[in-house]
């Protein structure tokens, strides 16, 4: 016969509880039936289900065993479908009430003699501690009210950023010539002896009296200083002017021509005067529609060959510098 229902767990039909003669505010469920799926779990259902409580799902989904704690119940399915559930484990028997005992009186402390200390009196037995009453079930907590709706944040407008114009090409800087060596410093002229300083004949200005200083012995005679030298040392040598670096041929923003080859030959204008011993430097300004890179550049007698990673077509732009040593 069913024992009823608990409003906190309306889907559970209570079949058996522990401590049937207990008059406490709650009795833990040890067996019951449930509909609607997984049993109630979590701290909101503390002090309701006994350890290893069994709940049989009447919908035939499974048989559940409580594997958590009384304060925080959780469940494990121990049988489902056609397989039979594990047999019910009976509740633990009621523990009898422990009577309240009185604490025995402390024995009299013996008289302390002039010599040895007398024995300590007999201590009475400690009385039994009374049992703690069961804790009542936690009341049902009602649902939390809905939180008011917060409106969405308004759209932030934006304006387009103006177009930044392209940076113009930077020409290649020519080599800097070597700086000449510094000349040696000239020798310093001979300094003659300091001449004799005569008496200036000016009267001393008297300053207020200073406290007495200990007696200082007389200073020895200082001989006369020699005459000033008229000889001035010679001026040091000035170093030679540094070497001026070679001149170069600079042509900015050269656009390649259509041809179908990865090698671009420059022979017009100033390039007709290039020697095979000259040096050439190439800067890629715009890699063009074929997205090329510069692999090498060499000088010939009357021209310069620039090798690209692919055909540079007619829209690749380079800066070229030719120097001559």
């Amino acid at each position: 016969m069913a024992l009823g229902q608990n409003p906190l767990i309306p889907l559970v039909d209570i079949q058996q509880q522990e401590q049937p003669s207990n008059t406490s505010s709650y009795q833990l469920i040890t067996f019951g039936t449930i509909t609607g799926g997984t049993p109630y779990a979590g701290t909101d259902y503390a002090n309701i289900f006994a350890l290893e409580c069994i709940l049989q799902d009447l919908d035939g989904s499974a048989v559940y065993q409580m594997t958590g704690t009384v304060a925080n119940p959780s469940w494990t399915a121990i049988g489902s479908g056609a397989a039979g559930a594990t047999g019910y484990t009976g509740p633990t028997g009621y523990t009898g009430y422990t009577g309240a005992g009185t604490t025995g009186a402390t024995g009299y402390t013996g008289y302390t003699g002039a010599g040895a200390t007398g024995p300590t009196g007999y201590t009475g037995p400690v009385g039994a501690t009374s049992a703690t009453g069961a804790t009542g079930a936690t009341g049902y907590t009602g649902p939390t009210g809905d939180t008011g709706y917060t409106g969405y944040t308004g759209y932030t407008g934006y304006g387009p950023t103006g177009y930044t114009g392209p940076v113009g090409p930077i020409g290649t800087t020519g080599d800097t010539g070597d700086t000449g060596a510094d000349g040696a410093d000239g020798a310093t002229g001979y300094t003659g002896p300091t001449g004799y300083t005569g008496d200036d004949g000016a009267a001393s200005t008297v300053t207020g009296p200073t406290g007495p200083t200990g007696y200082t012995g007389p200073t020895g005679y200082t001989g006369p200083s020699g005459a000033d030298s008229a000889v001035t040392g010679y001026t040091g040598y000035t170093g030679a002017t540094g070497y001026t670096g070679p001149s170069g041929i600079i042509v900015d923003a050269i656009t390649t021509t259509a041809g179908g080859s990865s090698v671009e030959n420059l022979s017009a204008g100033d390039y007709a005067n290039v020697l095979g011993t000259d040096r050439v430097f190439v800067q890629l300004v715009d890699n063009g529609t074929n997205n090329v890179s510069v692999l090498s550049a060499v000088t010939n007698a009357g021209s310069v060959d620039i090798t690209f990673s692919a055909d540079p077509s007619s829209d690749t732009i380079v800066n070229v510098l030719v120097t001559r040593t």
Side-chain angles (χ1 to χ4, degrees):
M1 179 182 66
L3 299 179
Q5 291 182 323
N6 184 328
L8 291 179
I9 50 172
L11 300 180
V12 174
D13 191 6
I14 302 171
Q15 302 292 322
Q16 186 172 339
Q17 292 175 290
E18 65 178 11
Q19 303 178 1
S21 61
N22 191 351
T23 58
S24 64
S25 58
Y26 70 89
Q27 294 177 345
L28 301 181
I29 300 170
T30 58
F31 181 71
T33 60
I34 186 171
T35 59
T38 305
Y40 303 93
T43 55
D44 290 343
Y45 303 99
N47 301 320
I48 295 178
F49 300 101
L51 295 176
E52 300 183 354
C53 173
I54 299 296
L55 291 181
Q56 181 177 353
D57 188 349
L58 295 181
D59 296 332
S61 297
V63 175
Y64 300 95
Q65 182 177 13
M66 206 278 271
T67 54
T69 63
V70 174
N72 185 12
S74 60
W75 302 87
T76 300
I78 60 174
S80 61
T86 303
Y88 167 70
T89 302
T92 304
Y94 175 78
T95 302
Y97 174 81
T98 304
T102 58
T103 303
T106 304
Y108 169 72
T109 303
Y111 171 73
T112 304
T117 301
T120 302
Y122 173 77
T123 301
V126 178
T129 303
S130 62
T132 302
T135 302
T138 303
Y140 171 71
T141 302
T144 304
D146 293 336
T147 303
Y149 172 70
T150 302
Y152 65 87
T153 303
Y155 174 78
T156 302
Y158 67 92
T161 303
Y163 172 77
T164 302
V167 178
I170 299 174
T172 308
T173 303
D175 294 337
T176 302
D178 297 332
T179 303
D182 294 334
D185 294 333
T188 303
Y190 173 78
T191 302
T194 304
Y196 175 79
T197 302
D199 186 0
D200 59 8
S204 300
T205 302
V206 178
T207 304
T210 303
T213 304
Y215 175 77
T216 302
T219 303
Y221 175 76
T222 302
S225 301
D228 292 339
S229 173
V231 180
T232 303
Y234 67 86
T235 303
Y237 170 75
T238 301
T241 303
Y243 169 74
T244 302
S247 59
I249 300 173
I250 300 177
V251 180
D252 289 337
I254 296 176
T255 303
T256 57
T257 60
S261 172
S262 62
V263 178
E264 186 81 5
N265 180 264
L266 306 178
S267 59
D270 291 335
Y271 293 102
N273 300 320
V274 173
L275 302 178
T277 56
D278 291 343
R279 294 181 179 179
V280 60
F281 302 91
V282 179
Q283 179 187 33
L284 184 63
V285 178
D286 189 335
N287 58 5
T289 55
N290 288 345
N291 192 25
V292 299
S293 59
V294 175
L295 300 182
S296 64
V298 296
T299 56
N300 307 305
S303 67
V304 172
D305 286 334
I306 304 174
T307 302
F308 295 90
S309 60
D311 178 8
S313 188
S314 60
D315 58 355
T316 298
I317 301 175
V318 294
N319 291 336
V320 180
L321 167 67
V322 178
T323 63
R324 180 168 300 164
T325 57

